[in-house]
Amino acid sequence: MDQEEQQQLSRWEGYVDWRNRPALKGKHGGMVAAYFVLVVEIMENLAYLANASNLVIYLSEYMHLSPSKSANNVTNFMGTAFLLALLGGFLSDAFFTTYRIYLISAAIEFLGLVILTVQARSPSLKPPECDSGNPNISCQEVDGSKAAMLFIGLYLVALGVGGIKGSLPAHGAEQFDESSPQGRKQRSTFFNYFVFCLSCGGLIAVTFVVWIEDNKGWEWGFGISTIAIFLSIPIFLFGTPTYRNKIPSGSSLTTILKVLVAAAINTCTSRSPSNAVANLITNPSIVNATSEGTKEKSKEMASTETATKAFSCLNRAVVKIPVHSALECTVKQVEEVKIVLKILPIFACTIMLNCCLAQLSTFSVQQAATMNTKLGSLKVPPASLPIFPVVFIMILAPIYDHFIIPFARKVTKSEMGITHLQRIGVGLVLSIVAMATAALVEIKRKRVATSSGLLDSEEPLPITFLWIAFQYLFLGSADLFTLAGLLEFFFTEAPSSMRSLATSLSWASLAMGYYLSSVVVSIVNTITGNYKHHPWLSGSNINHYQLERFYWLMCVLSAVNFLHYLFWTNWYKYRSTRATN
């Protein structure tokens, strides 16, 4: 009996192993399990970025799509992949585990890469090569079954990437015991090194694999990506005996919809909230009475009381006699919906940062292409500029985790040192600095172009492209602080039944940032074209663009966004007092 009681105490409540047996403390979870996730993330991001970073070249030169169509297809591919992370997170929470969703998604991405590799290797599955001597067959755009094969392969990859992005970060974070200070510190370290590993995979992708694609052929590039994602599966499986997997808790979207509908109907029918909710608001002693005798529980219930007061309109979802049994809601369900509503403004404030990040793969590359890109005898391709933020993140992430955070903990006398929202805020400030730096560098670049008489020339300007590296470094730092902070913030603050879905919002913010960038550019060109009769972002070459004005505009928008963020962070109350103690 004593042994049975001891085993019961050693179980992770709500978690199982891969055989659906109760997960045990000391046997499942911890840093060992997380290491497998970090290695897998290197290989997964290598497979994804190796194609995404150079895909526009493949579509234009080998599939003969026009530059605009190629760019739009790449944008759609990347945006779809990140948005599908929401689907991966939802399925992980509702019906499957993060463990199973990763394996299913990796298999889907592997299938898509196999299709793309086969097509790239076989001339009969691609459009005929361009023949400048025969205009009738010159640069025939891919169509029919060949186009179908291309896009089936691409969007199978996007579906797989989305599932992996939506499940893998949450799976790694689930391995840590959040009831202990050591477990929470390890989880914070995991998210920092998750971004580090993300950058490691990106570095290999934008250097070695891109060089292979450009010099040895795209079948080799796709092949390396296929091998990488294939090898990630057995590596992930090797960690199976160490994983603890959260038991799915049903559809969170159904819960959210039910609470919102029930609150609206009961408000319209003038139904009053039940005594349970009224007592929760007016009688704090109820909180302590339901705390199951633990101090930690009473803290969490106290935060529930605060949330209840903040969104009292949703209290009407809980009534003694609901209009229909399908609309019967519990206090816990109402509180979970309130938590989701509280984190959405924070999510919205990060979209502008990702809109700034989108400039690194568009205008910044075009700026660098007009400058001297030589480093000694080595000529650096402008498309390889993402190396700067990637390398900087790889250097900064360990420094941040091993030096900055411990120092902050000593200064603030708190467990976290720097809170999640403070980290995100630092990233937003750095994005403002980055856009201001980009504007100043563009002013300098255009002065050099004017003074050297090369304003209308295609010749490289007598100014090193390393000036562009400054905006890359600032935005790379912003990305580290914000992405790591967002992943941990969403995972920690979201209800346990919605953590994978909430974590996926980090990737959805990235996708929306890219879409917002396209919208902002279109609006700027429309307004300036009507007012000045010459759009800021058009001309025979980038030297005729008013790019510095666009960067100043982005700087101002980022500053306004930061003020908006400060309002919501001042209003936000952490779900658990552990985050700010």
Side-chain angles (χ1 to χ4, degrees):
M1 183 65 178
D2 291 340
Q3 184 177 0
E4 183 178 343
E5 289 179 354
Q6 185 177 1
Q7 186 178 15
Q8 184 71 27
L9 289 173
S10 69
R11 290 179 178 177
W12 296 109
E13 185 179 352
Y15 291 88
V16 295
D17 66 4
W18 67 286
R19 293 181 177 177
N20 286 325
R21 299 175 302 187
L24 303 177
K25 296 180 180 180
K27 182 178 180 181
H28 301 105
M31 282 303 301
V32 173
Y35 286 143
F36 289 98
V37 175
L38 294 176
V39 173
V40 165
E41 176 54 29
I42 294 175
M43 306 188 75
E44 180 274 327
N45 207 45
L46 187 161
Y48 168 66
L49 275 186
N51 302 314
S53 62
N54 208 25
L55 185 61
V56 67
I57 302 297
Y58 179 71
L59 294 180
S60 60
E61 293 187 3
Y62 295 90
M63 294 297 163
H64 308 324
L65 298 179
S66 66
S68 60
K69 284 187 178 181
S70 298
N72 286 338
N73 277 299
V74 172
T75 302
N76 293 339
F77 167 73
M78 297 179 70
T80 301
F82 286 123
L83 283 179
L84 283 173
L86 294 173
L87 176 63
F90 169 73
L91 293 176
S92 297
D93 287 331
F95 307 112
F96 304 93
T97 61
T98 51
Y99 174 85
R100 291 179 180 174
I101 288 295
Y102 173 80
L103 291 175
I104 293 171
S105 301
I108 292 173
E109 184 176 355
F110 172 73
L111 177 60
L113 287 169
V114 168
I115 292 174
L116 293 175
T117 304
V118 171
Q119 184 174 42
R121 183 173 178 79
S122 176
S124 63
L125 298 177
K126 295 183 291 187
E129 292 186 8
C130 295
D131 185 356
S132 57
N134 189 343
N136 294 325
I137 63 171
S138 177
C139 293
Q140 179 183 341
E141 184 178 298
V142 65
D143 59 3
S145 60
K146 297 174 183 176
M149 185 175 185
L150 170 66
F151 290 109
I152 287 173
L154 279 178
Y155 283 94
L156 281 175
V157 171
L159 179 60
V161 168
I164 292 173
K165 299 293 187 188
S167 60
L168 196 60
H171 180 73
E174 286 171 359
Q175 306 308 315
F176 301 101
D177 179 12
E178 62 183 344
S179 65
S180 71
Q182 182 65 21
R184 294 192 292 272
K185 290 179 180 178
Q186 288 180 334
R187 184 176 63 192
S188 181
T189 294
F190 165 77
F191 280 116
N192 291 332
Y193 275 93
F194 185 87
V195 177
F196 173 84
C197 292
L198 196 79
S199 300
C200 286
L203 179 63
I204 300 171
V206 301
T207 54
F208 173 69
V209 182
V210 167
W211 183 88
I212 290 292
E213 289 169 344
D214 290 342
N215 294 276
K216 301 297 182 181
W218 270 86
E219 65 272 21
W220 288 99
F222 283 132
I224 292 173
S225 297
T226 304
I227 293 171
I229 200 66
F230 175 77
L231 291 178
S232 73
I233 296 175
I235 292 174
F236 184 80
L237 289 173
F238 284 149
T240 296
T242 68
Y243 298 146
R244 65 174 194 156
N245 304 305
K246 182 168 68 68
I247 300 173
S249 53
S251 173
S252 55
L253 297 182
T254 301
T255 300
I256 295 172
L257 183 62
K258 181 173 69 171
V259 169
L260 296 177
V261 171
I265 291 177
N266 294 337
T267 299
C268 294
T269 57
S270 300
R271 288 171 174 262
S272 300
S274 68
N275 291 336
V277 176
N279 288 339
L280 183 63
I281 301 173
T282 60
N283 189 359
S285 63
I286 299 295
V287 173
N288 296 326
T290 56
S291 64
E292 299 180 7
T294 66
K295 183 179 180 181
E296 210 57 54
K297 282 285 185 180
S298 80
K299 287 183 180 181
E300 293 182 5
M301 290 300 292
S303 68
T304 298
E305 179 193 358
T306 303
T308 300
K309 291 179 180 178
F311 290 93
S312 58
C313 60
L314 293 181
N315 293 337
R316 291 186 176 274
V318 183
V319 293
K320 292 181 178 179
I321 304 176
V323 174
H324 191 278
S325 59
L327 295 177
E328 184 176 358
C329 300
T330 66
V331 174
K332 179 183 177 183
Q333 289 173 329
V334 172
E335 296 309 313
E336 289 180 345
V337 172
K338 291 177 182 180
I339 291 169
V340 173
L341 293 178
K342 286 170 64 180
I343 66 178
L344 286 180
I346 305 298
F347 157 76
C349 290
T350 62
I351 295 175
M352 190 63 210
L353 166 66
N354 290 311
C355 181
C356 295
L357 284 172
Q359 311 313 313
L360 296 185
S361 58
T362 53
F363 295 125
S364 295
V365 174
Q366 290 178 292
Q367 285 176 283
T370 68
M371 304 166 79
N372 180 8
T373 60
K374 288 185 177 180
L375 286 176
S377 59
L378 176 66
K379 186 173 183 180
V380 180
S384 293
L385 278 173
I387 291 175
F388 288 108
V390 165
V391 171
F392 191 67
I393 288 174
M394 292 174 63
I395 295 172
L396 184 60
I399 294 175
Y400 177 81
D401 192 72
H402 294 288
F403 296 99
I404 298 177
I405 287 296
F407 176 76
R409 285 171 180 156
K410 290 180 181 179
V411 172
T412 62
K413 307 297 184 184
S414 67
E415 179 183 298
M416 294 184 63
I418 302 175
T419 66
H420 308 134
L421 295 179
Q422 288 171 343
R423 293 169 68 178
I424 297 169
V426 169
L428 296 182
V429 170
L430 287 172
S431 71
I432 299 172
V433 175
M435 288 296 97
T437 301
L440 294 173
V441 169
E442 176 61 8
I443 291 173
K444 179 178 180 62
R445 190 191 68 83
K446 289 182 73 173
R447 284 177 179 172
V448 171
T450 302
S451 61
S452 60
L454 297 175
L455 196 65
D456 297 312
S457 175
E458 298 295 330
E459 295 182 26
L461 302 177
I463 178 174
T464 177
F465 78 111
L466 292 177
W467 283 99
I468 302 293
F470 287 108
Q471 62 211 56
Y472 275 84
L473 294 181
F474 281 120
L475 281 173
S477 304
D479 193 26
L480 171 64
F481 280 97
T482 304
L483 181 57
L486 269 182
L487 288 169
E488 188 173 0
F489 172 73
F490 287 142
F491 184 89
T492 304
E493 293 299 299
S496 60
S497 61
M498 305 180 189
R499 280 180 164 174
S500 298
L501 179 61
T503 306
S504 302
L505 289 174
S506 305
W507 309 112
S509 173
L510 187 60
M512 292 182 182
Y514 274 92
Y515 292 144
L516 178 61
S517 176
S518 299
V519 172
V520 171
V521 169
S522 298
I523 292 175
V524 165
N525 275 341
T526 299
I527 293 176
T528 56
N530 293 333
Y531 178 67
K532 293 286 188 179
H533 305 293
H534 182 74
W536 281 0
L537 305 176
S538 68
S540 57
N541 62 47
I542 198 171
N543 293 334
H544 295 283
Y545 286 23
Q546 300 296 323
L547 191 56
E548 71 282 0
R549 296 181 182 179
F550 175 72
Y551 282 147
W552 284 125
L553 174 64
M554 294 292 289
C555 181
V556 171
L557 291 177
S558 297
V560 172
N561 178 69
F562 179 67
L563 296 177
H564 184 225
Y565 175 78
L566 289 180
F567 169 80
W568 289 111
T569 54
N570 184 60
W571 170 81
Y572 187 85
K573 301 298 181 184
Y574 282 97
R575 174 169 167 250
S576 171
T577 55
R578 290 191 302 262
T580 53
N581 278 350

